[in-house]
Amino acid sequence: MSKKIHTEVVDYFFDGVLSLKSKEECYSFFEDVCTVNELLSLSQRFEVAKMLREDKTYMEIAEKTGASTATISRVNRSLNYGNDGYDLVFKRIENKPEFLEEEK
């Protein structure tokens, strides 16, 4: 974890995020905190990471998500050399019954 971002203010922000209890609460909070473009960029990176884990090619990912190859490369670097945050979340999503039900 980067010591540059590990601050009381970031801790407080994460406490706020962890207090959210539903997707609707997430929508309300993140629409207030982020611009539309910031939120779309974050969700795009998450989709890129998912597709990279599914061994999709950069071309397939770029076509489906609209992400640039630079963004795909940055996400790939995070997957390979980061803090395993994406993988942690992907595993939790896969193991959570309500996420599986929503996809059907």
Side-chain angles (χ1 to χ4, degrees), residues 14-69:
F14 288 157
D15 287 340
V17 171
L18 290 169
S19 76
L20 301 170
K21 295 185 182 355
S22 69
K23 283 185 189 176
E24 282 308 311
E25 287 183 2
C26 288
Y27 275 101
S28 294
F29 178 73
F30 282 100
E31 284 182 43
D32 285 349
V33 171
C34 299
T35 65
V36 171
N37 285 339
E38 288 168 336
L39 192 51
L40 292 175
S41 291
L42 290 170
S43 58
Q44 180 188 62
R45 288 181 203 156
F46 194 67
E47 180 68 9
V48 167
K50 179 179 174 277
M51 292 181 75
L52 284 167
R53 281 296 184 241
E54 294 169 348
D55 294 321
K56 303 292 186 198
T57 66
Y58 275 35
M59 184 64 73
E60 290 173 311
I61 296 168
E63 286 176 4
K64 179 164 189 235
T65 66
S68 68
T69 55

Side-chain angles (χ1 to χ4, degrees), residues 66-85:
S68 68
T69 55
T71 295
I72 298 167
S73 180
R74 271 195 305 274
V75 172
N76 194 42
R77 197 168 34 254
S78 292
L79 287 170
N80 292 319
Y81 304 107
N83 295 309
D84 299 323

Side-chain angles (χ1 to χ4, degrees), residues 1 5-20 29-30:
M1 181 179 338
I5 67 164
H6 197 94
T7 66
E8 283 184 42
V9 174
V10 174
D11 281 350
Y12 188 62
F13 173 73
F14 288 157
D15 287 340
V17 171
L18 290 169
S19 76
L20 301 170
F29 178 73
F30 282 100

